[in-house]
Amino acid sequence: ESEDGLPGLNSSIFAYLRARDDGNSPYTQQLTDNWRMNQTLSDFPAETLYGPEYQPATESIKGQRVAFRDRTIGGLTPDEKKLCEWIAAPEYPMTLCILEGVRATVENEAEAELVAKITKYLRERLINPDTGTVYRNTGDGDTEFWRRGLFIVSPHHAQIRAVRRELSLVRQWLSPSFVDTVDKMQGQQSYCVIVSYGVSDIETALGEAEFIYSLNRINVSVSRARSKCIVFLPRPLLEPSFD
């Protein structure tokens, strides 16, 4: 721990240097041009961490949206398809899905099932901006989908296993899915990101508060997306105890 009360090296080298900046000879320089995220997704880090000058670098990046091909999707009920259409709607780059009445410690099956259905919907309908067509129904198509189309982020390995298990039930994947912790996503990007918190037990959340409620980890999760981010969050995480 630092003696001056400012962030120490146990936080990060960047935080350490940033806290010791002075106007005459600063150690750091704020980067303000964002070359990844559209305006909505840029607003989150701008408002919470980086300041209002942090903006999309070009008008094209500012307005980029996901696009879908109209095609029949097997394995989803009409109600499930309507739900997926609503959650994945291109006009809303950030969608927060709050789960009510679901109790889980570190593995949330109900949430994992929803994540799998949304993933199936995206895999069948999402247009690859690099080609202008949907991802091919081949091993290479699955590989490209998981490399550029979608990441799924979760803070716990138990929830990661639950999501992978549900994914195996909705489609026969020809390439390994990319479902992992935020640490594995850092430095990468995709058109869509799904964040699955899973934990709804408040005592479990409080025991891992620095991990679950870390603003930097939330920021990295959200800012991997270029055009669409979907966050699944059980209600208790929004209503913690005073502790």
Side-chain angles (χ1 to χ4, degrees), residues 34-39 41-42 45 54 56 61 64 223 225-226:
N34 161 31
W35 293 87
R36 178 189 301 129
M37 298 174 284
N38 60 30
Q39 183 68 64
L41 298 178
S42 296
Y54 185 75
I61 294 173
Q64 64 191 8
S223 63
R226 299 179 64 178

Side-chain angles (χ1 to χ4, degrees), residues 3-39:
E3 296 178 358
D4 54 12
L6 297 175
L9 290 176
N10 60 329
S11 174
S12 73
I13 294 174
F14 174 78
Y16 180 90
L17 295 175
R18 187 100 173 131
R20 290 159 180 77
D21 272 349
D22 64 62
N24 297 322
S25 56
Y27 293 107
T28 65
Q29 173 63 46
Q30 175 71 51
L31 299 180
T32 57
D33 290 341
N34 161 31
W35 293 87
R36 178 189 301 129
M37 298 174 284
N38 60 30
Q39 183 68 64

Side-chain angles (χ1 to χ4, degrees), residues 37-43 61-66 86-96 191-193 222 225-231:
M37 298 174 284
N38 60 30
Q39 183 68 64
T40 300
L41 298 178
S42 296
D43 284 344
I61 294 173
K62 178 179 179 179
Q64 64 191 8
R65 296 288 186 272
V66 291
W86 182 78
I87 291 174
E91 59 267 33
Y92 299 105
M94 171 72 85
T95 302
L96 175 61
Y191 294 108
C192 302
V193 166
V222 171
R226 299 179 64 178
S227 302
K228 180 78 179 185
C229 182
I230 301 167
V231 180

Side-chain angles (χ1 to χ4, degrees), residues 163-212:
V163 170
R164 287 175 176 167
R165 185 169 62 246
E166 293 295 331
L167 284 173
S168 69
L169 299 177
V170 299
R171 178 184 173 88
Q172 184 177 355
W173 299 95
L174 302 176
S175 177
S177 57
F178 199 157
V179 188
D180 221 316
T181 62
V182 66
D183 305 286
K184 296 294 179 68
M185 308 292 179
Q186 192 143 8
Q188 303 189 61
Q189 62 183 9
S190 63
Y191 294 108
C192 302
V193 166
I194 296 176
V195 183
S196 175
Y197 269 85
V199 176
S200 64
D201 178 73
I202 197 61
E203 290 189 3
T204 300
L206 287 173
E208 303 174 344
E210 289 188 18
F211 178 73
I212 291 179

Side-chain angles (χ1 to χ4, degrees), residues 71-83:
R71 63 188 300 187
T72 302
I73 302 176
L76 295 179
T77 68
D79 284 344
E80 288 171 343
K81 184 180 178 184
K82 286 172 62 176
L83 178 64

Side-chain angles (χ1 to χ4, degrees), residues 2 20 75 77 85 89 117 131 144 151 181 193 211 221 226:
S2 58
R20 290 159 180 77
T77 68
E85 288 176 347
K117 291 184 185 300
T131 64
E144 185 68 8
F151 293 161
T181 62
V193 166
F211 178 73
S221 299
R226 299 179 64 178

